[in-house]
Amino acid sequence: MFDLQGKTCLITGGAGSLGLAAARMLHAQGAHLALVDLHLSDLDEACERAFGAEAAGVLRLACDVTDEAQVRRAVARTVDRFGRIDVLVSNAGIFGTVAPIEAYPTEVFDSVMAVHVRGAFLLAKHAVPHMGQGGSIVLTSSVAATRGDPGVYAYITAKHALTGLMRVLAKDLAPRGIRVNAIAPGPVDNGFQKAVEDGLGAEIGRDGTEFFNEMIPMGRHGTADEIAASILYLASSQSGFTTGHALMADGGMSV
């Protein structure tokens, strides 16, 4: 159903739950994988856990996505290994903190914007020359791109910015046959979200997970595999006439 046999997929944030879940699904459809994360040791551990004996076939690359030279090298190594890039999943991300504007640390705001927005920009800049007709770029956004919650200055701003970047890329690359979309998850049952909810719970004086579940019409968090299934759809030709779209995978939270 999903025609990814022999396609090369480059995924950042590859050691995290969403990146790894997407990698497993793409690999199951025959894709070659290049996984990128900040630390090679994290990638090695994640790949061994996810792929077992087949982990040797997964290209693992340590890269700070905010560093242009490192991004350029990661793309070059992927192309050297597999010849081209067919799917780019820009998934690296950090949350930052929650604080009133007068107390929000400027350096935290800058770092969150750099990872999400500069990182996605640099990946597209250097990967697109190695992509062609039928290529797909998926940016990991968030339901946060539809919201404005008190104190979440860096993360929400970065996710709104990613929507703008996605739209510009989609218009620019459509004549070249490259589609660009975003996946916008709601709260996911993983370590990243738990850290967010623990911090939020301390701020609001109640359980952060329950607080989010009350805002989700489906009454629960999503799973990494549920989000990965939407990434798989956007990566494949099953979404061949879809570009410039933010696919909400949020249990109805944005409705």
Side-chain angles (χ1 to χ4, degrees):
M1 181 178 180
F2 296 101
D3 55 337
L4 294 172
Q5 190 67 41
K7 299 293 181 77
T8 300
C9 302
L10 173 61
I11 304 172
T12 65
S17 68
L18 293 187
L20 198 60
R24 285 196 301 265
M25 288 196 181
L26 294 166
H27 183 264
Q29 298 299 322
H32 301 304
L33 295 177
L35 299 188
V36 172
D37 214 300
L38 193 58
H39 302 295
L40 194 58
S41 58
D42 292 339
L43 283 170
D44 288 341
E45 180 182 344
C47 283
E48 292 298 329
R49 186 171 68 251
F51 300 108
E54 296 184 353
V58 177
L59 178 61
R60 288 160 262 181
L61 302 166
C63 174
D64 177 351
V65 297
T66 71
D67 185 313
E68 186 163 16
Q70 291 188 40
V71 171
R72 187 187 297 112
R73 284 196 296 271
V75 169
R77 287 190 59 191
T78 301
V79 174
D80 286 347
R81 172 79 169 266
F82 299 117
R84 66 184 189 276
I85 296 172
D86 300 290
V87 176
L88 173 65
V89 181
S90 180
N91 175 68
I94 56 176
F95 179 71
T97 192
V98 179
I101 185 62
E102 64 271 21
Y104 203 97
T106 302
E107 65 276 12
V108 171
F109 185 90
D110 289 345
S111 65
V112 173
M113 291 294 289
V115 171
H116 289 272
V117 186
R118 176 181 168 88
F121 166 79
L122 290 175
L123 283 158
K125 177 181 178 178
H126 292 287
V128 162
H130 305 284
M131 301 179 75
Q133 184 77 28
S136 175
I137 297 175
V138 182
L139 308 183
T140 299
S141 183
S142 168
V143 68
T146 69
R147 301 179 59 84
D149 296 313
V152 193
Y153 285 101
Y155 189 76
I156 285 180
T157 302
K159 292 306 189 182
H160 276 75
L162 276 179
T163 299
L165 177 62
M166 177 268 290
R167 288 173 174 163
V168 175
L169 284 168
K171 280 283 186 73
D172 193 23
L173 300 179
R176 297 160 67 170
I178 300 171
R179 297 174 297 104
V180 186
N181 295 286
I183 179 72
V188 177
D189 185 12
N190 62 12
F192 182 95
Q193 183 67 22
K194 185 178 186 305
V196 171
E197 290 167 359
D198 287 348
L200 176 65
E203 288 286 329
I204 65 176
R206 59 170 299 196
D207 185 273
T209 300
E210 290 181 2
F211 175 77
F212 275 109
N213 280 339
E214 290 171 5
M215 292 192 291
I216 303 169
M218 292 185 72
R220 66 172 178 86
H221 285 37
T223 68
D225 282 347
E226 287 174 320
I227 308 308
S230 293
I231 293 173
L232 175 60
Y233 167 71
L234 292 175
S236 77
S237 65
Q238 295 296 313
S239 58
F241 198 53
T242 301
T243 195
H245 176 69
L247 175 56
M248 307 306 299
D250 64 352
M253 188 175 175
S254 58
V255 173

